[in-house]
Amino acid sequence: MWRTPGGRAGRSSQPGLSTYTRAVPPDATHADRPTGRSLPLPPLELRERVGATTSASAVSERQLRRAPWWHEDPAEAWLRQGEFLVGTMREQLPADVTLDGARVLDFGCGAGRVLRHLLDVVGEDGDLHGVDIDGPSIDWLQANGEPWIHARQCEESPGLPYPDDHFDLVYALSVFTHIVDHWAGWLLELRRVLAPGGILLTTVIGPQTAAELRLPSPEDPGMYGRVLGNDWDHGGPVTTHDAGWVAERWGRALDIVSHTPRITGQPWPHDIVVSRARPEPVDEDDLLDTGADGVAEGRAQAAQLRLLREDALMRRAVLDQQTAEAVGAVQQGRADVAARTPGRLAELAQRHAELEAARAAGPGPHAGGAVRPAGTPAAPAPDGGARRSGGGPSTGAGSAARCAPSAPCR
Ligand SMILES: C[S@@+](CC[C@H](N)C(=O)[O-])C[C@H]1O[C@@H](n2cnc3c(N)ncnc32)[C@H](O)[C@@H]1O
């Protein structure tokens, strides 16, 4: 089932309008087919959204330098990330699987960090597709990847525009690590589009990496959701998975071929889970069913609640700190204004005194100007010359004081 746009969680582009101008001529042929490296690079903002290469993100320089794909140049580092991940995926595939001529779907492809390098793997007969909830990433991929890479925007809830039994390989790198609500529905949707014998390859965050991310998992096996409500441009929510739980729950719909811990490279290595569709019909309820062990499930739920409470406290601490900073900034601003005020008041008093003196010195041109009693000399200007009003140009030697043009004379 394919849903029409609306209510998407990712950023959407204006309907019918691409943010990016089409880069590939419409008459491009296979001879023009780019490689993973010669395809244009997406802008840094789209690159960093799916793979940090600069410490402008939450990742520190030290953590980035430990990564196997590290390079000083962020563009080169991003290309290397994709190549590294393609290499790792290939190593994880069963020996009998070949990608030459394969039909492949990248679920949660972003701007194609990984997908672009499959151009070098599937050959001219291959068929590469990607979906993501992020409109700008899909726009970019459509403008720069067609006709070699086909990208579509999808919604946060399950539904893909592809027929049943279609893809030889479906992969989702760092996507189920963020899906909290629809994990069962998406798993079944990806299973639906897998060709018979096809491979589903996904990554999950196991307990050790979760601890390194300072999101320690409870001891009770499970899938735990953290930082719920985090928006997608800041990484979205995070889920962590225990291998035993994946085997039991995902195993109801999929044959788990392998589950290899911490294999996607630093800074925070994910596990890779390789699976094939099981033939028995299953639905979402079958996957969501907590099973017979109510005690274990109750403990897991209590643990999840504890995590959410910790998250809420952490967010409150951050909010308190931000509030304190904002209050401090306002107080500082007030202090600055107060410090400048006496000087400004003295300036105004001086100016007021000058105006009063000028008014006393003689009648201005306006009706209602002070009338100097006959014989009273005009007050001299402080500089001994013509008196000016409002700092404006002199009205001429010997002229009487004038009010500023826009200010009413009183
Ligand atoms: C950490 S990024 C990884 C991107 C890409 N797989 C890679 O490794 O370069 C997670 C991606 O999943 C996408 N995403 C999250 N939920 C999704 C969903 N329900 N359907 C499709 N994409 C989703 C996000 O928009 C984001 O681009």
Side-chain angles (χ1 to χ4, degrees):
M1 178 182 45
W2 176 243
R3 292 167 212 257
T4 49
R8 287 181 180 134
R11 297 168 300 170
S12 56
S13 320
Q14 231 178 314
L17 286 181
S18 173
T19 317
Y20 299 98
T21 322
R22 190 168 165 70
V24 185
D27 55 351
T29 66
H30 269 305
D32 306 312
R33 196 170 178 272
T35 64
R37 279 188 165 256
S38 70
L39 197 71
L41 268 184
L44 183 67
E45 178 216 336
L46 296 185
R47 302 203 309 261
E48 289 279 307
R49 190 176 176 278
V50 295
T53 50
T54 66
S55 50
S57 64
V59 189
S60 74
E61 175 99 10
R62 192 172 52 83
Q63 285 164 322
L64 289 174
R65 282 179 181 276
R66 290 208 316 249
W69 40 260
W70 163 252
H71 196 277
E72 300 279 348
D73 173 10
E76 175 62 22
W78 197 77
L79 287 172
R80 289 183 179 205
Q81 284 181 351
E83 287 166 339
F84 178 85
L85 287 167
V86 166
T88 307
M89 278 204 304
R90 294 180 80 182
E91 282 165 18
Q92 292 295 308
L93 293 176
D96 60 331
V97 173
T98 166
L99 292 182
D100 193 21
R103 198 180 263 167
V104 179
L105 173 65
D106 183 332
F107 175 63
C109 59
R113 176 176 66 145
V114 175
L115 198 50
R116 62 189 293 134
H117 296 291
L118 286 177
L119 284 166
D120 310 335
V121 174
V122 296
E124 288 194 358
D125 295 331
D127 190 15
L128 299 177
H129 295 257
V131 293
D132 201 289
I133 55 175
D134 189 52
S137 298
I138 293 300
D139 279 352
W140 186 88
L141 210 42
Q142 285 174 341
N144 292 277
E146 288 282 354
W148 304 287
I149 292 177
H150 312 289
R152 302 284 293 265
Q153 188 176 5
C154 69
E155 292 184 44
E156 196 175 4
S157 50
L160 289 173
Y162 309 110
D164 294 356
D165 304 334
H166 195 65
F167 291 103
D168 303 304
L169 170 67
V170 175
Y171 65 91
L173 302 181
S174 193
V175 183
F176 280 90
T177 51
H178 301 288
I179 294 181
V180 178
D181 296 321
H182 299 293
W183 68 267
W186 271 121
L187 218 50
L188 293 176
E189 183 64 354
L190 299 186
R191 186 182 96 137
R192 178 184 73 75
V193 298
L194 265 188
I199 294 286
L200 173 62
L201 184 152
T202 60
T203 69
V204 294
I205 296 175
Q208 189 180 335
T209 299
E212 288 167 8
L213 280 166
R214 288 194 240 145
L215 298 172
S217 319
E219 280 180 12
D220 299 292
M223 165 191 146
Y224 292 103
R226 307 296 302 262
V227 287
L228 305 190
N230 218 26
D231 78 57
W232 283 105
D233 290 336
H234 294 95
V238 176
T239 58
T240 61
H241 291 80
D242 168 82
W245 189 89
V246 169
E248 203 277 306
R249 287 298 190 83
W250 293 19
R252 297 174 191 175
L254 303 162
D255 275 326
I256 308 293
V257 177
S258 60
H259 184 140
T260 311
R262 290 166 62 74
I263 187 102
T264 58
Q266 301 291 352
W268 294 300
H270 294 188
D271 300 358
I272 286 187
V273 183
V274 175
S275 58
R276 284 190 158 112
R278 287 178 71 88
E280 306 84 32
V282 272
D283 61 21
E284 257 183 86
D285 286 342
D286 293 323
L287 296 195
L288 293 173
D289 184 355
T290 53
D293 193 347
V295 175
E297 186 59 29
R299 274 204 312 265
Q301 282 185 9
Q304 173 70 82
L305 274 179
R306 203 183 68 241
L307 293 180
L308 294 180
R309 194 177 309 119
E310 279 170 17
D311 282 353
L313 289 174
M314 180 191 71
R315 280 170 186 258
R316 197 164 80 188
V318 170
L319 194 64
D320 285 350
Q321 191 189 333
Q322 287 170 343
T323 307
E325 282 167 12
V327 167
V330 168
Q331 283 170 345
Q332 183 60 49
R334 280 200 184 129
D336 291 349
V337 168
R340 282 199 305 266
T341 300
R344 179 75 181 132
L345 279 180
E347 220 176 85
L348 288 173
Q350 159 83 13
R351 190 148 141 42
H352 183 252
E354 283 174 21
L355 285 172
E356 280 300 308
R359 207 153 62 124
H366 303 286
V371 178
R372 186 161 34 104
T376 315
D383 58 1
R387 183 181 291 277
R388 287 192 238 153
S389 169
S394 167
T395 52
S399 70
R402 293 171 194 266
C403 292
S406 59
C409 246
R410 280 189 293 162

